[in-house]
Amino acid sequence: MPATRTWLKNPLAIFTANALDARGGLVLQDGVIVEVLAAGQQPSAPCNEVFDAREHVILPGLINTHHHFYQTLTRAWAPVVNQPLFPWLKTLYPVWARLTPEKLALASKVALAELLLSGCTTAADHHYLFPDGLENAIDVQVETVRELGMRAMLTRGSMSLGEKDGGLPPQQTVQEGQVILDDSQRLIHEYHERGDGAQIQIALAPCSPFSVTPEIMSASAELANQLDVRLHTHLAETLDEEDFCLQRFGLRTVDYLDSVGWLGPRTWLAHGIHFNPDEIARLGQAGTGICHCPSSNMRLASGICPSIELTDAGALFGLGVDGSASNDASNMILEARQALYIQRLRYGAEKITPERVLGWATKGSASLLGRTDIGELALGKQADLALFKLDELRFSGSHDPISALLLCGADRADRVMIGGKWRVVDGQVEGLDLKGLIADHSQAARQLIAGT
């Protein structure tokens, strides 16, 4: 049976995340891009499917590089609405400790569906909660990712420094070091896919300097080197964290990162706000990545990530939605809009363009995950695409389609393709009972707060 060749023909506008002219559209075959057509060009061979994209703005599938899926169950919870990071965490930890496999599955499905509807095709999740009964949390997430047909970097998080030893998390949420390492190794061997088109990948992700020991940080770095996987953690999110590192380790955050073997190109960090010029230079020289999470940083009043200094120094740079208890959404196109605005506040309008920010959300985010097969539209790249229409009232009167996505506040893709397969059609996730999911998830959220 001959392979299906699909032409996405003559889009209204197209952002490639590179310098290619793709105004004539894209030709797709076997889940990858096989032709990029300039304005007026025709495919080199007949296509048995033609999709007229004249009403669509086409982007590479957006890539979310930091999230906590389980937190969709604790969005906009009154006791933490007005708290900064440390008290916010201490209030929520006992609630999160009641998480069950069933609730995690629902929370993950909601987060992924919401991301997918926003044009996101690949998501990294940082799951670090493994209370009794939830030892197989990552396995639960793998099933959910496969069900929705997305790509994911699932990071095996950990907390090993409980309250009794001077950390922030309650004791029932921490694990012994060997348990963490054994499970990390199991997950990598069982699920980690390599090479172009990988759907599931695993990274190692001790939670933060204030919730894990230096020993588990060092051991995780050694295991990641040994098994060739990536490393992820929170770093330099707040001044409280910086003070914690100085008091406990006698080191600032980047010195601490270096001391445990994490300062290198295998590592990407969530937030990265409070760095001095010397630390920024070291991160750049090391090729370490930074995931900017603007909505969460604004919600918790943590600060503004120094994006231009970091990228000028050579650090890799992408975007993440974080949360969803500190965002409180899982929407990548809206996150790009927030990044545009908060970064303009810091650097001015001329330096922070819609194209630059969309580049962070696509090719930049792909680089954080160590992937070269996604994040841009070019020959041989995966056919991961987000298509947006500009037919709603909010876009009426707009003139530049690419800019309009962010400036006019696009929040939902019309179509999303992953590996050449449509996963969202006419603004709906294929095969998903969204009303039923919302009902089940809302009930689970109420039960988690009530402790029932």
Side-chain angles (χ1 to χ4, degrees):
M1 188 174 171
T4 299
R5 280 171 57 86
T6 302
W7 180 16
L8 302 184
K9 180 181 177 181
N10 299 335
L12 173 65
I14 186 164
F15 173 79
T16 58
N18 53 47
L20 294 174
D21 179 359
R23 288 175 292 170
L26 305 169
V27 179
L28 317 173
Q29 186 174 319
D30 296 327
V32 300
I33 299 168
V34 295
E35 292 186 60
V36 177
L37 304 175
Q41 273 190 322
Q42 299 284 315
S44 62
C47 294
N48 33 11
E49 288 185 0
V50 177
F51 179 83
D52 186 346
R54 75 176 82 178
E55 295 182 354
H56 289 90
V57 182
I58 300 180
L59 308 179
L62 305 178
I63 299 169
N64 171 36
T65 58
H66 183 68
H67 205 152
H68 307 291
F69 294 164
Y70 74 88
Q71 290 184 14
T72 60
L73 293 162
T74 51
R75 298 200 250 211
W77 185 42
V80 295
V81 164
N82 301 315
Q83 289 185 331
L85 181 66
F86 274 23
W88 177 90
L89 281 170
K90 287 181 76 70
T91 307
L92 279 163
Y93 277 143
V95 176
W96 293 336
R98 300 195 284 262
L99 203 59
T100 63
E102 296 75 22
K103 288 182 174 64
L104 176 61
L106 285 167
S108 300
K109 196 169 184 178
V110 162
L112 286 165
E114 192 179 357
L115 286 167
L116 189 54
L117 287 167
S118 75
C120 177
T121 53
T122 301
D125 189 60
H126 189 180
H127 188 86
Y128 50 80
L129 277 166
F130 297 86
D132 288 347
L134 198 61
E135 291 81 4
N136 291 329
I138 306 301
D139 306 78
V140 170
Q141 293 188 314
V142 167
E143 287 183 30
T144 309
V145 171
R146 287 177 174 164
E147 183 182 348
L148 288 175
M150 295 178 71
R151 303 186 200 278
M153 174 74 84
L154 299 173
T155 73
R156 204 301 180 183
S158 54
M159 297 197 294
S160 61
L161 185 67
E163 281 177 316
K164 76 176 178 63
D165 297 313
L168 248 67
Q171 288 306 123
Q172 71 265 37
T173 64
V174 302
Q175 291 181 298
E176 294 295 325
Q178 198 56 51
V179 171
I180 293 165
L181 295 170
D182 288 347
D183 192 49
S184 298
Q185 197 154 352
R186 175 187 72 84
L187 291 165
I188 294 164
H189 288 312
E190 195 160 335
Y191 296 119
H192 186 70
E193 300 172 22
R194 301 180 189 273
D196 289 358
Q199 182 183 21
I200 304 284
Q201 295 190 312
I202 303 292
L204 303 185
C207 184
S208 62
F210 49 81
S211 58
V212 295
T213 60
E215 290 76 18
I216 202 66
M217 290 289 285
S218 298
S220 295
E222 290 168 13
L223 187 60
N225 283 326
Q226 179 189 329
L227 299 180
D228 190 24
V229 296
R230 298 186 81 75
L231 289 165
H232 183 52
T233 193
H234 299 93
L235 199 79
E237 183 177 359
T238 66
L239 292 172
D240 284 343
E241 179 193 326
E242 187 179 299
D243 291 342
F244 181 94
C245 286
L246 284 168
Q247 289 171 19
R248 188 171 184 90
F249 311 121
L251 299 168
R252 285 176 56 85
T253 52
V254 174
D255 291 325
Y256 174 70
L257 199 71
D258 198 7
S259 75
V260 290
W262 275 59
L263 192 59
R266 194 180 296 281
T267 299
W268 89 101
L269 307 168
H271 306 297
I273 297 168
H274 299 285
F275 296 132
N276 64 31
D278 173 64
E279 291 164 341
I280 289 171
R282 289 167 65 195
L283 289 162
Q285 287 160 10
T288 298
I290 306 293
C291 169
H292 177 33
C293 303
S295 295
S296 176
N297 297 161
M298 295 161 78
R299 153 80 198 264
L300 296 173
S302 301
I304 304 176
C305 179
S307 64
I308 300 298
E309 288 89 343
L310 284 162
T311 52
D312 284 353
L316 304 178
F317 198 82
L319 297 183
V321 300
D322 198 16
S324 296
S326 65
N327 182 319
D328 294 33
S330 309
N331 189 307
M332 268 303 289
I333 193 69
L334 282 181
E335 201 65 32
R337 185 180 202 234
Q338 292 284 50
L340 178 80
Y341 287 149
I342 195 172
Q343 292 296 325
R344 281 191 170 190
L345 198 60
R346 183 169 187 138
Y347 297 107
E350 300 90 345
K351 284 188 177 181
I352 309 295
T353 65
E355 290 80 7
R356 184 173 206 160
V357 173
L358 288 171
W360 291 340
T362 54
K363 192 174 181 180
S365 283
S367 74
L368 296 192
L369 304 185
R371 297 196 66 156
T372 57
D373 60 327
I374 56 176
E376 61 179 314
L377 306 181
L379 280 183
K381 304 298 181 184
Q382 295 296 307
D384 290 9
L385 310 166
L387 283 68
F388 293 83
K389 278 188 171 182
L390 304 183
D391 57 355
E392 294 178 65
L393 187 62
R394 74 184 74 185
F395 300 110
S396 182
S398 64
H399 299 275
D400 174 26
I402 299 292
S403 298
L405 289 178
L406 301 189
L407 298 180
C408 300
D411 64 357
R412 191 160 180 150
D414 180 62
R415 282 179 170 256
V416 178
M417 175 182 281
I418 303 175
K421 296 178 181 175
W422 293 116
R423 298 297 182 184
V424 173
V425 174
D426 297 331
Q428 303 296 321
V429 178
E430 291 285 88
L432 180 66
D433 173 12
L434 195 58
K435 284 187 177 179
L437 175 60
I438 291 170
D440 292 344
H441 179 263
S442 298
Q443 182 181 18
R446 289 190 295 271
Q447 290 172 342
L448 187 70
I449 294 296
T452 58

